[in-house]
Amino acid sequence: MTVYAIIGGTGLTQLEGLSLKDAIELDTPYGAPSAAIQRGEFAGREVLFLARHGHPHRFPPHQVNYRANLWALKQAGAEAILAVNAVGGIHAAMGSGHLCVPHQIVDYTWGREHTYFAGDIEHVTHIDFSHPYDEALRLKLIAALQALGYAYSSHGVYAATQGPRLETVAEVAKLERDGCDIIGMTGMPEAALARELDLPYACLSLVVNPAAGKSSGIITMAEIEQALHEGIGKVREVLGRVLVS
Ligand code: HPA
């Protein structure tokens, strides 16, 4: 059986319902991952869990050591990755609480350590990234969402922005013109690094606010926290359903 790893984002630094067996402390050639990898049973199945921002939350999106995180998960035995990301909604369908299983990415991040193919290597490898997410994993997430009856979108273009600040109204308008549906700060380089390590990877995005300019007011942390609080239970249920599928 495939060993799944869940990468929890903001609002999911701990996987409630995980009966912990051990915490795996690993170092990697790229430094330490954000936290110890938790191994345990969730929905009756052995899984690995890593808090992307550390536990407690301490690494902002641009300072997460994505290379160490993915490397450590692979070392710990992960064979497929389910990533959870909180996002802002651009498309009209992406209101707070909506769940999206993106199918494409546009990467606007900069200055992050974004590849394992760097330094003194004999061959630069250009991974194919036409379809950044693993389709079989995406379909599992979609089937779980369908079965649970939650409002969701089976497709979406994820704009990965640098953060940690949120965007301006003009930036969101540009992302929309670029064809993006949701915005998050952690989708890249995570997805590409997973591909470099040959780890199937898919993302479950929870919309926690309308993006800048998509509502009448400004975006507040209170609003984001409230949406996370309300939505994270749904995320856990979807993950549980995927694991038993
Ligand atoms: N923009 C970028 N990242 C985010 C947002 C947003 O509006 N909301 C949650 N993560």
Side-chain angles (χ1 to χ4, degrees):
M1 275 237 262
T2 308
V3 178
Y4 283 101
I6 295 168
I7 302 181
T10 303
L12 193 68
T13 53
Q14 233 176 339
L15 187 61
E16 206 180 290
L18 177 80
S19 62
L20 189 64
K21 284 200 186 135
D22 54 357
I24 311 167
E25 304 263 4
L26 285 172
D27 202 9
T28 80
Y30 307 96
S34 299
I37 294 169
Q38 302 188 340
R39 181 174 21 216
E41 211 169 280
F42 181 68
R45 178 155 176 186
E46 182 155 316
V47 290
L48 302 168
F49 176 80
L50 176 61
R52 181 186 288 118
H53 298 280
H55 179 59
H57 193 298
R58 51 196 181 111
F59 300 109
H62 62 293
Q63 287 178 332
V64 169
N65 190 338
Y66 296 95
R67 291 197 300 182
N69 284 356
L70 273 295
W71 192 272
L73 285 171
K74 180 136 184 164
Q75 258 185 291
E79 293 171 331
I81 311 272
L82 295 166
V84 177
N85 304 73
V87 296
I90 303 177
H91 191 282
M94 308 288 173
S96 285
H98 197 75
L99 289 158
C100 178
V101 184
H103 72 295
Q104 276 295 333
I105 300 173
V106 183
D107 187 9
Y108 301 94
T109 65
W110 49 270
R112 301 182 180 192
E113 295 287 0
H114 64 285
T115 180
Y116 294 109
F117 301 123
D120 190 13
I121 53 168
E122 277 179 26
H123 305 287
V124 173
T125 301
H126 302 286
I127 51 157
D128 173 74
F129 204 47
S130 310
H131 303 286
Y133 299 111
D134 181 81
E135 193 58 17
L137 271 186
R138 275 186 11 88
L139 291 175
K140 280 181 192 278
L141 285 166
I142 292 163
L145 285 159
Q146 173 82 33
L148 289 164
Y150 295 139
Y152 73 96
S153 296
S154 60
H155 291 81
V157 179
Y158 181 112
T161 56
Q162 178 68 358
R165 67 165 177 83
L166 297 166
E167 297 71 35
T168 66
V169 171
E171 284 168 341
V172 170
K174 172 194 143 91
L175 299 181
E176 189 166 25
R177 287 194 300 276
D178 283 357
C180 299
D181 300 301
I182 52 177
I183 321 175
M185 301 173 190
T186 51
M188 285 293 284
E190 199 173 87
L193 292 167
R195 180 65 54 85
E196 286 189 354
L197 293 179
D198 213 13
L199 282 169
Y201 176 101
C203 160
L204 177 61
S205 290
L206 170 67
V207 181
V208 293
N209 60 279
K214 294 292 173 187
S215 70
S216 51
I218 60 162
I219 303 165
T220 65
M221 278 312 292
E223 158 191 10
I224 290 179
E225 276 158 19
Q226 178 69 21
L228 274 171
H229 179 71
E230 287 170 12
I232 215 68
K234 290 193 282 188
V235 167
R236 261 196 305 270
E237 275 193 76
V238 173
L239 295 173
R241 189 127 193 154
V242 169
L243 294 179
V244 297
S245 68

Coordinates of all heavy atoms in Angstrom, one line a residue, residues 71-158:
W71 N 12.7 16.2 0.9 CA 13.8 15.2 1.0 C 13.6 14.3 2.2 O 13.7 13.1 2.2 CB 15.2 16.0 1.1 CG 16.3 15.1 1.0 CD1 17.0 14.4 2.0 CD2 17.0 14.8 -0.3 NE1 18.0 13.7 1.4 CE2 18.1 13.9 0.1 CE3 16.9 15.1 -1.6 CZ2 19.0 13.4 -0.9 CZ3 17.8 14.7 -2.5 CH2 18.8 13.8 -2.2
A72 N 13.2 15.0 3.4 CA 13.0 14.2 4.6 C 11.8 13.3 4.5 O 11.8 12.2 5.0 CB 12.8 15.2 5.8
L73 N 10.8 13.8 3.8 CA 9.6 12.9 3.7 C 9.9 11.7 2.9 O 9.5 10.6 3.2 CB 8.4 13.7 3.0 CG 7.7 14.7 4.0 CD1 6.8 15.6 3.2 CD2 7.0 14.0 5.1
K74 N 10.7 11.9 1.8 CA 11.1 10.8 1.0 C 12.0 9.8 1.8 O 11.8 8.6 1.8 CB 11.9 11.3 -0.3 CG 12.3 10.1 -1.2 CD 12.0 10.4 -2.6 CE 12.4 9.2 -3.4 NZ 11.9 9.2 -4.7
Q75 N 12.9 10.4 2.6 CA 13.8 9.5 3.4 C 12.9 8.7 4.4 O 13.3 7.6 4.8 CB 14.7 10.4 4.2 CG 16.1 10.5 3.7 CD 17.0 11.3 4.6 OE1 16.8 12.5 4.7 NE2 17.9 10.6 5.3
A76 N 11.9 9.4 4.9 CA 11.0 8.7 5.9 C 10.1 7.6 5.3 O 9.4 7.0 6.0 CB 10.2 9.7 6.7
G77 N 10.1 7.6 4.0 CA 9.4 6.5 3.3 C 8.1 6.9 2.5 O 7.4 6.1 2.1
A78 N 7.9 8.3 2.4 CA 6.7 8.7 1.7 C 6.8 8.3 0.2 O 7.9 8.3 -0.4 CB 6.7 10.3 1.8
E79 N 5.7 7.9 -0.3 CA 5.6 7.5 -1.7 C 4.6 8.4 -2.5 O 4.5 8.3 -3.7 CB 5.1 6.0 -1.8 CG 6.1 5.0 -1.2 CD 5.6 3.6 -1.1 OE1 4.4 3.4 -0.9 OE2 6.4 2.7 -1.2
A80 N 3.8 9.2 -1.8 CA 2.9 10.1 -2.4 C 2.6 11.2 -1.4 O 2.6 11.0 -0.2 CB 1.6 9.4 -2.8
I81 N 2.4 12.4 -2.0 CA 2.2 13.6 -1.1 C 0.8 14.2 -1.3 O 0.5 14.6 -2.4 CB 3.3 14.7 -1.4 CG1 4.7 14.1 -1.4 CG2 3.1 15.8 -0.4 CD1 5.4 14.0 -0.2
L82 N 0.1 14.4 -0.2 CA -1.1 15.2 -0.2 C -0.8 16.5 0.5 O -0.5 16.5 1.7 CB -2.2 14.5 0.5 CG -2.7 13.2 -0.2 CD1 -3.5 12.4 0.8 CD2 -3.5 13.5 -1.5
A83 N -0.8 17.6 -0.2 CA -0.4 18.9 0.3 C -1.7 19.7 0.6 O -2.6 19.8 -0.2 CB 0.5 19.7 -0.6
V84 N -1.8 20.3 1.8 CA -2.9 21.2 2.1 C -2.4 22.7 2.1 O -1.4 23.0 2.7 CB -3.5 20.8 3.5 CG1 -4.6 21.8 3.9 CG2 -4.0 19.4 3.5
N85 N -3.2 23.5 1.4 CA -2.8 24.9 1.3 C -4.0 25.8 1.6 O -5.1 25.6 1.0 CB -2.2 25.3 -0.1 CG -1.1 24.4 -0.5 OD1 -1.3 23.2 -0.8 ND2 0.1 24.9 -0.4
A86 N -3.8 26.8 2.4 CA -4.8 27.9 2.5 C -4.6 28.9 1.4 O -3.4 29.2 1.1 CB -4.7 28.6 3.9
V87 N -5.6 29.3 0.8 CA -5.5 30.2 -0.4 C -6.5 31.3 -0.4 O -7.6 31.2 0.3 CB -5.6 29.4 -1.7 CG1 -4.6 28.4 -1.9 CG2 -7.0 28.8 -1.9
G88 N -6.2 32.4 -1.2 CA -7.2 33.4 -1.4 C -8.0 33.0 -2.7 O -7.4 32.4 -3.6
G89 N -9.2 33.5 -2.8 CA -10.0 33.1 -4.0 C -10.0 34.3 -5.0 O -10.3 35.4 -4.6
I90 N -9.7 34.0 -6.3 CA -9.8 35.0 -7.3 C -11.1 34.8 -8.1 O -11.9 35.7 -8.3 CB -8.6 34.9 -8.3 CG1 -7.3 35.1 -7.6 CG2 -8.8 36.0 -9.4 CD1 -6.1 34.9 -8.5
H91 N -11.3 33.6 -8.6 CA -12.5 33.2 -9.4 C -13.7 33.4 -8.6 O -13.7 33.1 -7.4 CB -12.3 31.8 -9.9 CG -13.3 31.4 -11.0 ND1 -14.6 31.0 -10.6 CD2 -13.2 31.3 -12.3 CE1 -15.3 30.7 -11.8 NE2 -14.4 30.9 -12.8
A92 N -14.8 33.8 -9.2 CA -16.1 34.0 -8.5 C -16.5 32.7 -7.7 O -17.2 32.8 -6.7 CB -17.2 34.4 -9.4
A93 N -16.2 31.6 -8.2 CA -16.6 30.3 -7.6 C -15.9 30.1 -6.3 O -16.3 29.3 -5.4 CB -16.5 29.1 -8.5
M94 N -14.7 30.8 -6.1 CA -13.8 30.4 -5.0 C -14.1 31.3 -3.8 O -13.2 32.1 -3.4 CB -12.3 30.6 -5.5 CG -12.0 29.8 -6.7 SD -11.9 28.0 -6.5 CE -11.7 27.5 -8.2
G95 N -15.2 31.2 -3.2 CA -15.6 31.9 -2.0 C -14.9 31.3 -0.8 O -14.5 30.1 -0.8
S96 N -15.0 32.0 0.3 CA -14.4 31.4 1.6 C -15.1 30.1 1.9 O -16.3 30.0 1.8 CB -14.6 32.4 2.7 OG -13.7 33.4 2.6
G97 N -14.3 29.1 2.3 CA -14.8 27.8 2.6 C -14.8 26.8 1.4 O -14.9 25.6 1.6
H98 N -14.7 27.4 0.2 CA -14.7 26.5 -1.0 C -13.4 25.7 -1.0 O -12.3 26.1 -0.5 CB -14.7 27.4 -2.2 CG -15.1 26.7 -3.5 ND1 -16.4 26.3 -3.7 CD2 -14.4 26.3 -4.5 CE1 -16.5 25.7 -4.9 NE2 -15.3 25.6 -5.4
L99 N -13.5 24.5 -1.5 CA -12.3 23.6 -1.6 C -12.0 23.5 -3.1 O -12.9 23.4 -4.0 CB -12.6 22.3 -1.0 CG -12.6 22.3 0.5 CD1 -13.4 21.2 1.1 CD2 -11.2 22.4 1.1
C100 N -10.7 23.5 -3.4 CA -10.3 23.4 -4.8 C -9.1 22.4 -4.9 O -8.2 22.4 -4.1 CB -9.8 24.8 -5.3 SG -9.2 24.8 -7.0
V101 N -9.2 21.6 -6.0 CA -8.1 20.7 -6.3 C -7.4 21.2 -7.6 O -7.9 20.9 -8.7 CB -8.6 19.2 -6.5 CG1 -7.4 18.3 -6.7 CG2 -9.5 18.8 -5.4
P102 N -6.4 22.1 -7.4 CA -5.9 22.7 -8.6 C -5.3 21.7 -9.6 O -4.8 20.7 -9.2 CB -4.8 23.7 -8.1 CG -4.5 23.2 -6.7 CD -5.7 22.5 -6.2
H103 N -5.3 22.1 -10.9 CA -4.7 21.3 -11.9 C -3.5 21.9 -12.5 O -2.7 21.3 -13.2 CB -5.7 20.9 -13.0 CG -6.1 22.0 -13.9 ND1 -6.8 23.1 -13.4 CD2 -5.9 22.2 -15.2 CE1 -6.9 24.0 -14.4 NE2 -6.4 23.4 -15.5
Q104 N -3.3 23.3 -12.3 CA -2.2 24.0 -12.9 C -1.6 25.0 -11.9 O -2.3 25.4 -10.9 CB -2.6 24.7 -14.2 CG -2.6 23.8 -15.4 CD -1.2 23.3 -15.8 OE1 -0.2 23.9 -15.5 NE2 -1.1 22.1 -16.4
I105 N -0.4 25.4 -12.2 CA 0.3 26.4 -11.3 C 0.9 27.5 -12.2 O 1.4 27.2 -13.3 CB 1.5 25.7 -10.6 CG1 1.0 24.6 -9.7 CG2 2.2 26.8 -9.8 CD1 2.1 23.8 -9.0
V106 N 0.9 28.7 -11.7 CA 1.8 29.7 -12.3 C 2.6 30.2 -11.1 O 2.1 30.6 -10.0 CB 1.0 31.0 -12.9 CG1 2.0 31.9 -13.5 CG2 0.0 30.5 -14.0
D107 N 3.9 30.2 -11.3 CA 4.9 30.4 -10.2 C 5.4 31.9 -10.3 O 6.1 32.3 -11.2 CB 6.1 29.4 -10.4 CG 7.0 29.5 -9.2 OD1 6.7 30.2 -8.2 OD2 8.1 28.9 -9.2
Y108 N 5.0 32.7 -9.2 CA 5.5 34.0 -9.2 C 6.5 34.2 -8.0 O 6.8 35.3 -7.6 CB 4.3 35.0 -8.9 CG 3.3 35.0 -10.0 CD1 2.1 34.1 -9.8 CD2 3.4 35.7 -11.2 CE1 1.2 34.1 -10.8 CE2 2.4 35.7 -12.1 CZ 1.3 34.9 -12.0 OH 0.3 34.8 -12.9
T109 N 6.9 33.1 -7.4 CA 7.9 33.2 -6.3 C 9.3 33.5 -6.8 O 9.6 33.3 -8.0 CB 7.9 31.9 -5.5 OG1 8.5 30.9 -6.2 CG2 6.5 31.5 -5.0
W110 N 10.1 34.0 -5.9 CA 11.5 34.4 -6.3 C 12.4 34.2 -5.1 O 11.9 34.2 -4.0 CB 11.6 35.8 -6.9 CG 11.0 36.8 -6.0 CD1 9.7 37.2 -6.0 CD2 11.6 37.5 -4.9 NE1 9.4 38.2 -5.0 CE2 10.6 38.4 -4.3 CE3 12.8 37.5 -4.3 CZ2 10.8 39.2 -3.2 CZ3 13.1 38.3 -3.2 CH2 12.1 39.2 -2.7
G111 N 13.6 33.9 -5.4 CA 14.7 33.8 -4.4 C 14.5 32.6 -3.5 O 15.2 32.6 -2.4
R112 N 13.7 31.7 -3.8 CA 13.6 30.5 -2.9 C 14.5 29.4 -3.5 O 14.7 29.3 -4.7 CB 12.2 30.0 -2.9 CG 11.2 31.0 -2.4 CD 9.7 30.4 -2.4 NE 8.8 31.4 -1.9 CZ 7.6 31.2 -1.5 NH1 7.0 30.0 -1.6 NH2 6.8 32.2 -1.1
E113 N 15.0 28.5 -2.6 CA 15.8 27.4 -3.1 C 14.8 26.4 -3.7 O 14.0 25.9 -3.0 CB 16.5 26.7 -1.9 CG 17.6 27.6 -1.2 CD 18.8 27.7 -2.1 OE1 18.9 27.2 -3.2 OE2 19.8 28.4 -1.6
H114 N 14.8 26.3 -5.0 CA 13.7 25.7 -5.7 C 14.0 24.5 -6.5 O 13.2 23.9 -7.2 CB 13.1 26.8 -6.7 CG 14.0 27.2 -7.8 ND1 15.1 28.0 -7.5 CD2 14.1 26.8 -9.1 CE1 15.8 28.2 -8.7 NE2 15.2 27.4 -9.6
T115 N 15.3 24.0 -6.4 CA 15.7 22.8 -7.1 C 16.7 22.0 -6.4 O 17.5 22.6 -5.6 CB 16.1 23.1 -8.6 OG1 16.5 21.9 -9.3 CG2 17.4 24.1 -8.5
Y116 N 16.7 20.7 -6.7 CA 17.8 19.8 -6.2 C 19.0 19.8 -7.2 O 20.0 19.3 -6.9 CB 17.3 18.4 -5.9 CG 16.3 18.3 -4.8 CD1 15.0 18.1 -5.1 CD2 16.7 18.5 -3.5 CE1 14.0 18.0 -4.1 CE2 15.8 18.4 -2.4 CZ 14.4 18.1 -2.7 OH 13.5 18.1 -1.7
F117 N 18.7 20.3 -8.4 CA 19.7 20.2 -9.5 C 20.5 21.5 -9.5 O 20.3 22.4 -10.3 CB 19.0 19.9 -10.8 CG 18.2 18.7 -10.8 CD1 16.9 18.6 -11.1 CD2 18.8 17.5 -10.5 CE1 16.2 17.5 -11.1 CE2 18.1 16.3 -10.5 CZ 16.8 16.3 -10.8
A118 N 21.3 21.7 -8.5 CA 22.1 22.9 -8.4 C 23.5 22.5 -7.9 O 23.7 21.5 -7.3 CB 21.4 23.9 -7.4
G119 N 24.4 23.5 -8.0 CA 25.8 23.2 -7.5 C 26.6 22.4 -8.5 O 26.3 22.4 -9.7
D120 N 27.4 21.6 -7.9 CA 28.4 20.8 -8.7 C 27.8 19.5 -9.2 O 28.0 18.5 -8.6 CB 29.6 20.6 -7.9 CG 30.8 20.1 -8.7 OD1 30.7 20.1 -9.9 OD2 31.7 19.6 -8.1
I121 N 26.9 19.6 -10.2 CA 26.3 18.3 -10.6 C 26.7 18.0 -12.1 O 27.0 18.9 -12.8 CB 24.8 18.3 -10.5 CG1 24.2 19.5 -11.2 CG2 24.3 18.3 -9.1 CD1 22.7 19.5 -11.4
E122 N 26.8 16.8 -12.4 CA 27.3 16.4 -13.7 C 26.3 16.7 -14.8 O 26.6 17.2 -15.9 CB 27.6 14.9 -13.8 CG 29.0 14.6 -13.2 CD 29.3 13.1 -13.2 OE1 28.7 12.4 -14.0 OE2 30.0 12.7 -12.3
H123 N 25.0 16.5 -14.5 CA 24.0 16.7 -15.5 C 22.9 17.5 -15.0 O 22.3 17.2 -13.9 CB 23.4 15.4 -16.0 CG 24.4 14.4 -16.5 ND1 25.1 14.6 -17.7 CD2 24.9 13.3 -15.9 CE1 25.9 13.6 -17.9 NE2 25.8 12.8 -16.8
V124 N 22.5 18.6 -15.6 CA 21.3 19.3 -15.2 C 20.1 18.5 -15.7 O 20.1 18.1 -16.9 CB 21.3 20.8 -15.8 CG1 20.0 21.4 -15.5 CG2 22.4 21.5 -15.2
T125 N 19.1 18.3 -14.9 CA 18.0 17.5 -15.3 C 16.8 18.5 -15.4 O 16.5 19.2 -14.5 CB 17.7 16.4 -14.4 OG1 18.9 15.6 -14.4 CG2 16.5 15.5 -14.8
H126 N 16.2 18.5 -16.6 CA 15.0 19.3 -16.8 C 13.8 18.4 -16.6 O 13.4 17.7 -17.6 CB 15.0 20.0 -18.2 CG 16.3 20.8 -18.4 ND1 16.4 22.0 -17.8 CD2 17.4 20.5 -19.1 CE1 17.6 22.5 -18.1 NE2 18.2 21.6 -18.9
I127 N 13.1 18.5 -15.5 CA 12.0 17.6 -15.3 C 10.8 18.1 -16.1 O 10.7 19.3 -16.4 CB 11.5 17.6 -13.8 CG1 11.3 19.1 -13.3 CG2 12.4 16.8 -12.9 CD1 10.4 19.2 -12.1
D128 N 10.0 17.2 -16.6 CA 8.7 17.6 -17.3 C 7.8 18.1 -16.2 O 7.6 17.4 -15.1 CB 8.1 16.5 -18.0 CG 6.7 16.9 -18.5 OD1 6.7 17.6 -19.5 OD2 5.7 16.5 -18.0
F129 N 7.2 19.3 -16.4 CA 6.3 19.8 -15.4 C 5.0 20.4 -16.0 O 4.4 21.3 -15.5 CB 7.0 20.9 -14.6 CG 6.5 21.2 -13.2 CD1 6.2 20.2 -12.3 CD2 6.3 22.5 -12.8 CE1 5.8 20.5 -11.0 CE2 5.9 22.8 -11.5 CZ 5.6 21.8 -10.6
S130 N 4.8 19.8 -17.2 CA 3.6 20.3 -18.0 C 2.3 20.2 -17.1 O 1.5 21.1 -17.1 CB 3.3 19.4 -19.2 OG 4.5 19.2 -20.0
H131 N 2.2 19.1 -16.4 CA 1.1 18.9 -15.6 C 1.6 18.7 -14.1 O 2.1 17.6 -13.8 CB 0.3 17.6 -16.0 CG -0.2 17.8 -17.4 ND1 -1.2 18.7 -17.8 CD2 0.3 17.3 -18.6 CE1 -1.3 18.7 -19.1 NE2 -0.4 17.8 -19.6
P132 N 1.6 19.8 -13.4 CA 2.4 19.8 -12.1 C 1.8 18.8 -11.1 O 2.6 18.4 -10.2 CB 2.3 21.2 -11.6 CG 1.2 21.8 -12.3 CD 1.0 21.1 -13.6
Y133 N 0.6 18.5 -11.2 CA 0.0 17.6 -10.1 C -0.3 16.2 -10.7 O -0.6 16.1 -11.9 CB -1.3 18.2 -9.6 CG -1.2 19.6 -9.0 CD1 -1.7 20.7 -9.6 CD2 -0.5 19.8 -7.8 CE1 -1.6 22.0 -9.1 CE2 -0.4 21.0 -7.2 CZ -0.9 22.1 -7.9 OH -0.8 23.4 -7.3
D134 N -0.2 15.3 -9.8 CA -0.4 13.9 -10.2 C -1.9 13.6 -10.4 O -2.7 13.9 -9.5 CB 0.1 12.9 -9.1 CG -0.1 11.5 -9.5 OD1 0.8 11.0 -10.2 OD2 -1.0 10.9 -9.0
E135 N -2.3 13.2 -11.6 CA -3.7 13.1 -11.9 C -4.4 12.0 -11.1 O -5.6 12.2 -10.7 CB -3.9 12.9 -13.4 CG -5.3 13.1 -14.0 CD -5.9 14.4 -13.7 OE1 -5.2 15.4 -13.4 OE2 -7.1 14.5 -13.8
A136 N -3.8 10.9 -10.8 CA -4.4 9.9 -10.1 C -4.7 10.4 -8.6 O -5.8 10.1 -8.1 CB -3.6 8.6 -10.0
L137 N -3.8 11.1 -8.1 CA -4.0 11.6 -6.7 C -5.1 12.7 -6.7 O -5.9 12.8 -5.8 CB -2.7 12.3 -6.2 CG -1.7 11.4 -5.4 CD1 -0.6 12.3 -4.9 CD2 -2.4 10.7 -4.3
R138 N -5.1 13.5 -7.8 CA -6.1 14.6 -7.9 C -7.5 13.9 -7.9 O -8.4 14.3 -7.3 CB -5.9 15.4 -9.2 CG -5.0 16.5 -9.0 CD -4.9 17.4 -10.3 NE -5.8 17.2 -11.3 CZ -7.0 17.8 -11.3 NH1 -7.4 18.7 -10.4 NH2 -7.9 17.6 -12.3
L139 N -7.6 12.8 -8.7 CA -8.9 12.1 -8.9 C -9.4 11.6 -7.5 O -10.5 11.5 -7.2 CB -8.8 11.1 -9.9 CG -8.7 11.6 -11.4 CD1 -8.5 10.5 -12.4 CD2 -9.9 12.5 -11.8
K140 N -8.4 11.1 -6.7 CA -8.8 10.6 -5.4 C -9.4 11.7 -4.5 O -10.4 11.5 -3.8 CB -7.6 10.0 -4.7 CG -7.3 8.6 -5.2 CD -6.1 8.0 -4.4 CE -5.5 6.8 -5.1 NZ -6.2 5.6 -4.7
L141 N -8.7 12.9 -4.6 CA -9.2 14.0 -3.8 C -10.6 14.4 -4.3 O -11.5 14.7 -3.5 CB -8.3 15.2 -3.9 CG -7.0 15.1 -3.1 CD1 -5.9 16.1 -3.6 CD2 -7.2 15.3 -1.6
I142 N -10.8 14.4 -5.6 CA -12.1 14.9 -6.2 C -13.2 13.9 -5.8 O -14.3 14.2 -5.4 CB -11.9 15.0 -7.7 CG1 -11.0 16.2 -8.0 CG2 -13.3 15.2 -8.4 CD1 -10.4 16.2 -9.4
A143 N -12.8 12.6 -5.8 CA -13.8 11.5 -5.5 C -14.3 11.7 -4.0 O -15.4 11.6 -3.7 CB -13.3 10.2 -5.7
A144 N -13.3 12.0 -3.2 CA -13.6 12.2 -1.7 C -14.5 13.4 -1.5 O -15.5 13.4 -0.8 CB -12.3 12.3 -0.9
L145 N -14.2 14.5 -2.2 CA -15.0 15.7 -2.1 C -16.4 15.5 -2.6 O -17.4 15.9 -2.0 CB -14.3 16.8 -2.9 CG -13.1 17.4 -2.3 CD1 -12.2 18.1 -3.3 CD2 -13.5 18.4 -1.2
Q146 N -16.5 14.7 -3.7 CA -17.8 14.4 -4.3 C -18.6 13.6 -3.3 O -19.8 13.9 -3.0 CB -17.5 13.6 -5.6 CG -18.7 13.0 -6.3 CD -19.5 14.1 -7.1 OE1 -18.8 15.0 -7.6 NE2 -20.8 14.0 -7.1
A147 N -18.0 12.6 -2.7 CA -18.7 11.7 -1.8 C -19.1 12.4 -0.6 O -20.2 12.1 0.0 CB -17.8 10.5 -1.4
L148 N -18.3 13.3 -0.1 CA -18.7 14.1 1.1 C -19.7 15.2 0.9 O -20.3 15.7 1.8 CB -17.4 14.6 1.8 CG -16.5 13.5 2.4 CD1 -15.1 14.1 2.7 CD2 -17.1 13.0 3.7
G149 N -19.9 15.6 -0.4 CA -20.9 16.6 -0.7 C -20.4 18.0 -0.4 O -21.3 18.9 -0.3
Y150 N -19.1 18.2 -0.3 CA -18.7 19.6 -0.1 C -18.6 20.4 -1.4 O -18.4 19.8 -2.5 CB -17.3 19.6 0.5 CG -17.3 19.0 1.9 CD1 -16.3 18.2 2.3 CD2 -18.3 19.3 2.8 CE1 -16.2 17.6 3.6 CE2 -18.3 18.7 4.1 CZ -17.3 17.9 4.5 OH -17.3 17.3 5.7
A151 N -18.8 21.7 -1.3 CA -18.6 22.6 -2.5 C -17.2 22.6 -2.9 O -16.3 22.9 -2.0 CB -19.1 24.0 -2.1
Y152 N -16.9 22.2 -4.1 CA -15.5 22.1 -4.5 C -15.4 22.4 -6.0 O -16.3 22.3 -6.8 CB -14.9 20.7 -4.2 CG -15.4 19.6 -5.1 CD1 -14.7 19.3 -6.2 CD2 -16.6 19.0 -4.9 CE1 -15.1 18.3 -7.1 CE2 -17.1 18.0 -5.8 CZ -16.3 17.7 -6.8 OH -16.8 16.7 -7.7
S153 N -14.1 22.7 -6.4 CA -13.8 22.8 -7.8 C -12.8 21.7 -8.2 O -11.8 21.6 -7.4 CB -13.3 24.2 -8.2 OG -14.3 25.1 -7.9
S154 N -13.0 21.0 -9.2 CA -12.1 19.9 -9.6 C -10.9 20.4 -10.4 O -10.0 19.7 -10.7 CB -12.8 18.8 -10.4 OG -13.3 19.4 -11.6
H155 N -10.9 21.7 -10.8 CA -9.8 22.3 -11.5 C -9.6 23.7 -11.0 O -10.5 24.4 -10.4 CB -10.1 22.4 -13.0 CG -10.2 21.1 -13.6 ND1 -11.3 20.3 -13.6 CD2 -9.2 20.4 -14.3 CE1 -11.0 19.1 -14.2 NE2 -9.7 19.2 -14.7
G156 N -8.4 24.2 -11.2 CA -8.1 25.6 -10.8 C -6.7 25.9 -11.1 O -5.8 24.9 -11.0
V157 N -6.4 27.1 -11.4 CA -5.0 27.5 -11.6 C -4.5 28.2 -10.3 O -5.1 29.2 -9.9 CB -4.8 28.4 -12.9 CG1 -3.3 28.8 -13.0 CG2 -5.3 27.6 -14.1
Y158 N -3.4 27.6 -9.8 CA -2.9 28.1 -8.5 C -1.8 29.1 -8.8 O -0.8 28.8 -9.4 CB -2.4 26.9 -7.7 CG -1.8 27.2 -6.4 CD1 -2.4 26.8 -5.2 CD2 -0.6 27.9 -6.2 CE1 -1.8 27.0 -3.9 CE2 0.0 28.2 -5.0 CZ -0.6 27.7 -3.8 OH -0.1 28.0 -2.6

